[in-house]
Amino acid sequence: MELRIPLSREDIEPLRSGDVVRLHGVLYTARDAAHARMKQALERGEPLPFDPEGQVIYYTGPAPAKPGHPIGPAGPTTASRMDPYAPLLIERGLRGMVGKGVRSREVVEAMRRHGCVYFGAVEGTAALLAKCVREAEVVAYEDLGAEAVRRLLVEDFPAVVINDLHGGDLYREGRERWRRR
Amino acid sequence: MREVRVEEVTAAVRDACIEANVSLGVDHLAALRRALERERSPQGREVLEKLLENARVAREERVAFCQDTGYAVFFVEVGQEVHFTGGSLPEAIDEGVRRGYREGYLRKSIVKSPVERINTGDNTPATVYYEIVPGEALRFTVLIKGAGCDNMSALRMLTPAEGVEGMKRFVVETVERAGPNASPPVTVGVGIGGPFERAALLAKKALTRRSGEPNPDPAMAGLEREILEEINATGIGPAGYGGTETAIAVHIESAPTHIAAFPVAVNLDCHSHRTLSFEL
């Protein structure tokens, strides 16, 4: 399934856990330190580095780019570390998150209520995923290095739906299906 | 007495940091291929195929196969007859890490303090464990450790009455609790015995064994097989999408312990399992 970002609620409504998708458009990178700063910005009434409405955040801290490459290896990091912050962005219209690992109940509930899906990218395929990035630029918090907020223009970025809007959870379903004890 | 110039150490450490991060070990590649043959879930097989493809691209392009180029952890065996010249050994290792991470375009992930969280900018200091051995040998083993899986590791002080069954249960529970977060198929390092801190160190060291190579003690090797089977029955599977291959291997290392103690540490390593050894 092809998905063009920005995404509307209608775009993500039909998605079901386990669906394989290809993402096209802009992904914003943000991880631990960037999320902490975005939370501070909201608390102070300052603007976020980007408007979350319709956007997708990719939890990654890329390695440095080799000369001639737009970005270095960039695979997903553990999403649960961003759980304390995710609802703040979901409430403001965030439509997708790309990462790896399970999300908290609070995050899944916020996703369902406001319309946001969680995609898994295969961790440890950083060299392959970087090949989907056409352009990359730092848009905020440059001092955070690998943790800065970057705007990535991606094509054919492979992901799978982990948590959909209907209670589906690929991690839970996959495990139940293959459990032998 | 053998003299070793510390510049030699720096050069070798630099090369090892780059090599370990861009080229997945042949033993681990073979283990992933075996897992692909065994995996029954189609999604699990797809994940394993992607991992192998990613490893190929990284090796060809000389880029890191995982962006989390981690802690650089060294186990160093130093012969007691070795004398270092031209500087200090710990500084020489750090300088090798500094050069390797800069020249290899590897991510700098180390912050100076867990409280202040300011990046040191060069992935130093390295984490180094020294062991003094007889003779003139000088052996280095590097383990590149990402935080995703390290974060899911655990240690428990069991009582002797909980024993081997308690140990097996704790190891399997730790892998289950980690689930997809540890980036399965994982390698499971288990350290048993010693005082508290030694168990943890043994668990980490167990990860440096060649992928899937059993413990030389048959009883220990039997436990490794039993625990592996239980882990692979959890259904977690590659990337946690469900499947039969949740762990590549269980490696147990043990040490003498106290009559009142049975420490068990579990250190998980993700499928990007990076370790190599060299001698000078």
Side-chain angles (χ1 to χ4, degrees):
Chain A
M1 202 177 299
E2 310 289 319
L3 289 176
R4 298 200 174 272
I5 305 164
L7 299 170
S8 66
R9 180 150 187 147
E10 290 65 43
D11 290 330
I12 60 172
E13 189 77 36
L15 298 175
R16 292 291 185 279
S17 58
D19 284 353
V20 175
V21 300
R22 298 255 160 194
L23 302 174
H24 307 270
V26 170
L27 294 178
Y28 286 99
T29 73
R31 40 175 294 154
D32 310 59
H35 275 80
R37 283 205 194 167
M38 286 195 279
K39 180 172 183 240
Q40 270 179 5
L42 288 172
E43 283 166 357
R44 292 179 187 152
E46 293 164 6
L48 292 171
F50 61 93
D51 178 0
E53 179 63 45
Q55 301 302 325
V56 178
I57 286 186
Y58 181 24
Y59 300 133
T60 186
K66 270 189 153 179
H69 293 230
I71 196 167
T77 194
T78 311
S80 59
R81 291 200 316 271
M82 272 51 80
D83 283 353
Y85 309 103
L88 298 173
L89 299 164
I90 294 170
E91 286 161 14
R92 287 166 176 77
L94 189 72
R95 288 277 175 253
M97 300 168 283
V98 184
K100 62 139 176 156
V102 288
R103 307 310 301 266
S104 69
R105 224 184 17 243
E106 290 76 15
V107 172
V108 173
E109 177 52 30
M111 286 165 57
R112 200 187 52 74
R113 187 167 339 121
H114 300 282
C116 180
V117 287
Y118 173 49
F119 300 102
V122 177
E123 59 271 24
T125 60
L128 288 181
L129 291 170
K131 285 187 172 298
C132 306
V133 178
R134 299 285 169 267
E135 296 168 19
E137 57 164 340
V138 172
V139 294
Y141 315 147
E142 187 154 20
D143 61 301
L144 295 180
E147 290 200 77
V149 174
R150 288 175 170 77
R151 182 181 180 279
L152 310 184
L153 184 64
V154 303
E155 265 175 49
D156 275 326
F157 186 99
V160 57
V161 178
I162 306 283
N163 294 102
D164 61 29
L165 296 181
H166 316 280
D169 178 346
L170 175 63
Y171 290 140
R172 194 186 60 228
E173 293 149 14
R175 195 157 163 176
E176 277 165 12
R177 179 158 176 228
W178 293 96
R179 187 191 296 274
R180 286 174 287 135
R181 59 193 278 276
Chain B
M1 178 75 81
R2 175 187 170 205
E3 296 218 328
V4 174
R5 286 174 26 251
V6 295
E7 298 88 71
E8 276 183 65
V9 172
T10 294
V13 164
R14 173 211 175 267
D15 293 352
C17 287
I18 297 175
E19 197 57 29
N21 271 299
V22 307
S23 186
L24 197 58
V26 288
D27 55 327
H28 197 66
L29 277 171
L32 286 174
R33 284 196 199 98
R34 284 197 299 276
L36 175 59
E37 282 168 24
R38 285 192 303 255
E39 178 57 61
R40 286 165 49 214
S41 133
Q43 252 166 338
R45 276 200 299 276
E46 201 174 308
V47 167
L48 291 165
E49 278 165 6
K50 273 190 183 172
L51 292 175
L52 289 164
E53 166 75 0
N54 182 69
R56 185 184 62 75
V57 167
R59 193 171 49 245
E60 283 173 12
E61 297 188 0
R62 301 284 297 166
V63 297
F65 44 88
C66 179
Q67 79 288 346
D68 185 356
T69 52
Y71 301 90
V73 180
F74 289 84
F75 293 91
V76 186
E77 288 176 38
V78 184
Q80 65 182 23
E81 308 299 333
V82 175
H83 174 233
F84 292 97
T85 62
S88 102
L89 177 61
E91 282 171 19
I93 294 173
D94 273 349
E95 182 57 23
V97 169
R98 199 170 283 129
R99 287 188 200 165
Y101 274 71
R102 186 177 62 229
E103 293 164 22
Y105 297 91
L106 306 175
R107 197 181 82 188
K108 289 78 180 171
S109 307
I110 304 300
V111 292
K112 202 181 294 182
S113 134
V115 177
E116 290 165 35
R117 309 206 70 86
I118 297 164
N119 200 302
T120 62
D122 59 9
N123 226 53
T124 69
T127 300
V128 190
Y129 303 105
Y130 296 98
E131 190 183 338
I132 304 294
V133 297
E136 296 191 332
L138 182 56
R139 274 186 290 272
F140 290 77
T141 296
V142 62
L143 177 69
I144 304 295
K145 197 72 176 67
C149 47
D150 222 48
N151 280 347
M152 304 315 294
S153 302
L155 188 146
R156 187 176 290 171
M157 305 303 285
L158 299 178
T159 63
E162 290 173 289
V164 172
E165 284 311 308
M167 182 266 280
K168 286 163 65 176
R169 202 162 45 240
F170 176 58
V171 176
V172 177
E173 275 171 16
T174 303
V175 177
E176 284 202 282
R177 200 170 48 245
N181 293 22
S183 300
V186 290
T187 299
V188 185
V190 181
I192 53 175
F196 179 82
E197 78 290 352
R198 182 143 188 214
L201 196 48
L202 286 170
K204 180 133 288 170
K205 198 169 183 183
L207 294 174
T208 65
R209 203 193 290 164
R210 286 173 59 82
S211 261
E213 185 178 277
N215 187 302
D217 173 350
M220 235 25 121
L223 285 174
E224 290 176 348
R225 276 195 308 274
E226 284 172 38
I227 297 172
L228 179 63
E229 200 169 305
E230 280 193 45
I231 289 171
N232 284 338
T234 58
I236 296 166
Y241 298 167
T244 57
E245 303 302 309
T246 301
I248 292 289
V250 175
H251 295 169
I252 304 176
E253 293 293 328
S254 77
T257 194
H258 190 282
I259 48 174
F262 195 152
V264 181
V266 182
N267 195 204
L268 299 179
D269 204 14
C270 60
H271 48 53
S272 296
H273 178 56
R274 294 158 284 186
T275 183
L276 63 82
S277 298
F278 59 93
E279 291 193 27
L280 289 178

